[in-house]
Amino acid sequence: MRVNRTKLTKLLYLADLRAVEQGIAPGSGVEWRWRGHGPHSLRLGEVERDLREAGVVLVEENADPFAGHREFVIHLVDAPHVEIDAGFAEVVDDVLADYGRWSAGQLRDLAYQTSPMQEAVKQGEREVRLDLAGGPPLPDLGPGLARLREWARRNPLPDDEPGGVDDLVEESRQFAEHRTEATRNLLED
């Protein structure tokens, strides 16, 4: 079976989607967004790079100058033993049995027919986070979190901040005997 990046991405998306439909957590652990050719995650590029560097996969680039596109075919070199949730492994097996022989283009077209992608297309904005449960795209928390992180970086807590954890631990330790005595009195009454 020939597997390129697009095919692998869409098969993984379909497995995550089927897992959610069956009440199982998505096994990929990536955040799916509507990108150039359907559902995608930038995290997949990082995983591919790590697997290449570890010698697990070999990525072969094929360019077609006449068609104006490149294809990245992924070859499994070494299959390390990895623990995977049994339920999700079953889902992956089923997805491969159903769609493993489909072309990348057919899988892309199928992905666009799924509920999360149809909801995203309805919104008309690319880069939205896909809700695998089929609802409207999820809000993008990235910009808000970035602003909060920047604010926290500019406004660090002073070392002697009242109510800090160290102060609470010390205060709790100071009143330990009094709490023990009060509890004993309550239980004896």
Side-chain angles (χ1 to χ4, degrees):
M1 171 184 326
R2 183 180 179 89
V3 178
N4 63 24
R5 279 183 186 160
T6 302
K7 183 172 183 170
L8 187 58
T9 298
K10 300 316 178 244
L11 287 169
L12 187 56
Y13 166 76
L14 292 169
D16 272 356
L17 184 61
R18 187 171 290 182
V20 170
E21 289 168 352
Q22 294 180 7
I24 300 170
S28 73
V30 301
E31 175 184 271
W32 293 103
R33 290 181 178 266
W34 176 20
R35 292 226 153 87
H37 300 287
H40 190 68
S41 173
L42 294 178
R43 177 76 180 108
L44 296 176
E46 296 170 10
V47 170
E48 179 188 302
R49 184 195 67 236
D50 292 346
L51 292 174
R52 241 186 8 246
E53 289 175 2
V56 174
V57 298
L58 175 68
V59 180
E60 172 190 352
E61 180 179 355
N62 297 322
D64 184 348
F66 299 110
H69 75 280
R70 297 180 312 174
E71 176 186 42
F72 296 89
V73 180
I74 300 173
H75 303 279
L76 184 62
V77 176
D78 181 29
H81 180 72
V82 177
E83 292 295 322
I84 182 172
D85 176 78
F88 188 68
E90 206 172 297
V91 168
V92 169
D93 288 342
D94 291 345
V95 167
L96 288 174
D98 292 346
Y99 308 114
R101 300 252 179 247
W102 288 31
S103 71
Q106 290 171 315
L107 290 168
R108 181 199 58 232
D109 294 345
L110 176 63
Y112 267 100
Q113 294 172 28
T114 63
S115 181
M117 280 300 300
Q118 294 211 343
E119 286 292 328
V121 170
K122 256 192 243 181
Q123 298 281 330
E125 292 182 44
R126 292 188 188 266
E127 294 299 318
V128 293
R129 292 175 55 213
L130 301 178
D131 179 1
L132 295 182
L138 300 167
D140 192 355
L141 303 178
L145 287 173
R147 283 194 305 276
L148 283 173
R149 285 186 186 111
E150 179 58 26
W151 182 88
R153 188 188 64 71
R154 287 190 322 266
N155 299 289
L157 288 176
D159 292 336
D160 62 347
E161 178 69 21
V165 175
D166 293 339
D167 295 338
L168 290 173
V169 169
E170 180 57 34
E171 186 176 304
S172 177
R173 197 174 291 134
Q174 288 174 358
F175 291 111
E177 286 182 40
H178 298 293
R179 281 194 315 275
T180 302
E181 185 179 329
T183 303
R184 187 179 313 115
N185 289 334
L186 285 170
L187 293 174
E188 289 174 357
D189 289 338

